[in-house]
Amino acid sequence: MNISSNFDSGNIIVQKDDGHGSFWLNIRKDTKSDHFQWFHFRLSGARGVECQLVITNASEASYPEGWEDYDVRASYDRENWFSVPTTYEEGKLIWHFKPEHDSVFFAYFAPYSYERHLGLIHSSQHSPDCRHIVLGQTHEGRDLDMLIVGNPKAKRRIWVVARQHPGEAMAEWFMEGFIDRLIDDSDPESLVLLKNAVFYLVPNLNPDGAIAGNLRCNTLGTNLNREWAAPSKEKSPEVYYLMKEMDKTGCDLFLDIHGDEGLPYNFVSSIEGIPSFDKRLKNILDKFLNKWKECSPDFQTRHGYPKNKAGEANLSVGSKQIGERFKCLSMTIEMPFKDNADLPDEYSGWSPERSMNLGRGILFPIRSVLRELR
């Protein structure tokens, strides 16, 4: 029996292996950072063996509350992921599993691979409404891919960005669903949007961190979502190049796609605390949220982060900085690592499929506020 993680987004350290199916494991820290929570590894040679897997440093993770009522995800083929009953006891994450096949993968959430990312970019550009450009390069020399979809002469400019935090893989699953529907020339929702707006889409802003198996940082140890007030080529080239392009195009709506470790709900964190938040922005925000609730039972507004008081928003955070910089509707969209407690799925928990469906469904609330954007 063997555990390995030397692959795209792999992360685990074997502390002890008793040779009979019990493994004591640690999650490796993010590159040049103390953050950690993402894990992804393969167990091989254990077919038919009742295995016990214990992550011994779970209580030291960035968000230990994320382990409460959480289930590990597993897959035999890396396409279909399912939940494994998991307990969090005395600071350790523990699960038992008897593999039906020779190899099985375990992960914090169903990974979104760099290979799939490249496939998404290159398949999307076949649409006559879609162009691909490279914003710049990461610290490790990877391209920062952006898709431009829609009417380039349209006045309304909509930016959607995902995976500032690389371990939040559900964010790119969301983007895949969103992009697939947006470029569907038989979908009336997308036809209206693409006639009246241009979309700037960045499915993965942190490919270095994603490939490294990091939770929250790029491979320079930088949390990108605290860099928006003053990004630099040295620490945060990803945000630096994106904002350079955004300053050229302008922005009327900004959606920053994330995942939350603790809360078992889909929710948003918006711009109530920025200095420029006014009645106009409040009305647009309220309409957007109400329309999203109408079309998607997976979205709700009862649970979420506390709203910032007036003038107290942290402008180093992406959605807050962009809302203030462009005086526009801007929000962080959060999905769960656990499950949606309003509509639980015992088999898979919150999943790639549910993430993609949420991405598809957001076209309606965007269209609902399109005329108010400026």
Side-chain angles (χ1 to χ4, degrees):
M1 288 176 283
N2 180 64
I3 283 180
S4 60
S5 60
N6 190 16
F7 43 75
D8 182 355
S9 81
N11 182 331
I12 207 69
I13 299 169
V14 179
Q15 295 290 102
K16 181 182 176 182
D17 170 4
D18 75 350
H20 301 288
S22 290
F23 300 88
W24 289 263
L25 312 168
N26 272 2
I27 303 173
R28 174 182 46 76
K29 291 181 178 180
D30 284 11
T31 315
K32 299 180 182 179
S33 168
D34 287 332
H35 280 293
F36 72 89
Q37 192 134 0
W38 172 265
F39 61 88
H40 178 202
F41 62 91
R42 182 174 72 172
L43 169 63
S44 57
R47 182 173 183 167
V49 177
E50 189 69 51
C51 295
Q52 174 184 258
L53 300 107
V54 182
I55 293 180
T56 61
N57 64 342
S59 65
E60 302 165 30
S62 298
Y63 304 98
E65 69 275 11
W67 304 129
E68 301 288 349
D69 301 318
Y70 163 79
D71 286 336
V72 166
R73 306 308 201 277
S75 176
Y76 291 113
D77 58 10
R78 298 188 298 165
E79 292 291 332
N80 301 294
W81 291 83
F82 54 92
S83 296
V84 178
T86 305
T87 58
Y88 179 52
E89 301 173 1
E90 298 180 351
K92 298 177 177 63
L93 195 71
I94 304 168
W95 67 101
H96 296 84
F97 191 78
K98 186 177 182 179
E100 297 177 3
H101 302 282
D102 294 319
S103 294
V104 59
F105 286 84
F106 297 107
Y108 187 26
F109 189 83
Y112 196 102
S113 71
Y114 189 62
E115 187 65 24
R116 191 178 186 106
H117 165 83
L118 293 176
L120 173 62
I121 296 296
H122 286 262
S123 62
S124 299
Q125 68 178 353
H126 288 292
S127 166
D129 296 309
C130 180
R131 290 181 53 229
H132 166 249
I133 70 167
V134 174
L135 293 171
Q137 278 71 41
T138 68
H139 170 67
E140 296 188 356
R142 293 187 178 89
D143 290 340
L144 293 168
D145 294 311
M146 182 169 77
L147 299 175
I148 305 173
V149 186
N151 180 3
K153 297 181 180 179
K155 294 181 179 180
R156 296 170 181 90
R157 297 141 301 177
I158 299 170
W159 282 77
V160 189
V161 174
R163 291 192 86 177
Q164 288 200 69
H165 296 149
E168 296 166 10
M170 63 284 290
E172 197 159 4
W173 289 110
F174 176 106
M175 291 295 288
E176 181 173 320
F178 178 81
I179 292 166
D180 282 351
R181 187 178 183 192
L182 190 64
I183 61 176
D184 181 355
D185 60 10
S186 67
D187 191 307
E189 202 80 72
S190 64
L191 290 174
V192 171
L193 284 172
L194 297 188
K195 181 180 179 181
N196 294 286
V198 57
F199 288 78
Y200 302 93
L201 309 174
V202 183
N204 186 348
L205 189 61
N206 196 342
D208 289 355
I211 290 171
N214 290 353
L215 172 75
R216 203 159 175 84
C217 298
N218 67 10
T219 53
L220 292 165
T222 304
N223 176 357
L224 297 184
N225 203 27
R226 297 298 183 271
E227 290 288 304
W228 290 70
S232 70
K233 287 184 181 180
E234 293 71 31
K235 290 179 55 185
S236 49
E238 302 88 347
V239 178
Y240 175 87
Y241 289 117
L242 187 150
M243 288 194 67
K244 187 176 179 181
E245 185 69 21
M246 190 182 289
D247 283 339
K248 288 194 293 186
T249 66
C251 181
D252 300 297
L253 172 63
F254 180 69
L255 304 177
D256 186 17
I257 317 302
H258 285 258
D260 181 80
E261 293 80 5
L263 293 174
Y265 301 99
N266 294 291
F267 61 96
V268 304
S269 174
S270 194
I271 52 173
E272 291 88 348
I274 67 171
S276 296
F277 191 69
D278 57 14
K279 186 176 180 179
R280 180 185 74 87
L281 287 173
K282 183 182 185 304
N283 289 340
I284 301 173
L285 174 61
D286 289 346
K287 184 176 182 180
F288 184 98
L289 299 180
N290 287 332
K291 292 296 182 181
W292 201 0
K293 286 193 294 183
E294 278 183 30
C295 74
S296 177
D298 263 331
F299 178 71
Q300 57 80 51
T301 56
R302 302 182 313 280
H303 307 276
Y305 302 148
K307 294 179 182 178
N308 294 130
K309 295 179 181 179
E312 294 185 4
N314 182 354
L315 298 185
S316 67
V317 172
S319 60
K320 320 303 183 188
Q321 172 64 217
I322 297 307
E324 180 62 22
R325 195 181 192 97
F326 295 99
K327 310 298 185 284
C328 69
L329 179 60
S330 179
M331 65 189 78
T332 304
I333 295 171
E334 300 279 359
M335 290 172 283
F337 278 88
K338 298 178 181 179
D339 199 353
N340 178 5
D342 287 336
L343 289 170
D345 183 332
E346 291 185 5
Y347 178 77
S348 61
W350 188 252
S351 65
E353 294 76 18
R354 298 279 290 274
S355 303
M356 288 192 286
N357 283 336
L358 195 68
R360 294 184 185 103
I362 203 172
L363 268 67
F364 174 64
I366 293 174
R367 181 174 64 82
S368 299
V369 301
L370 201 59
R371 290 184 179 180
E372 286 102 319
L373 300 178
R374 60 176 174 81

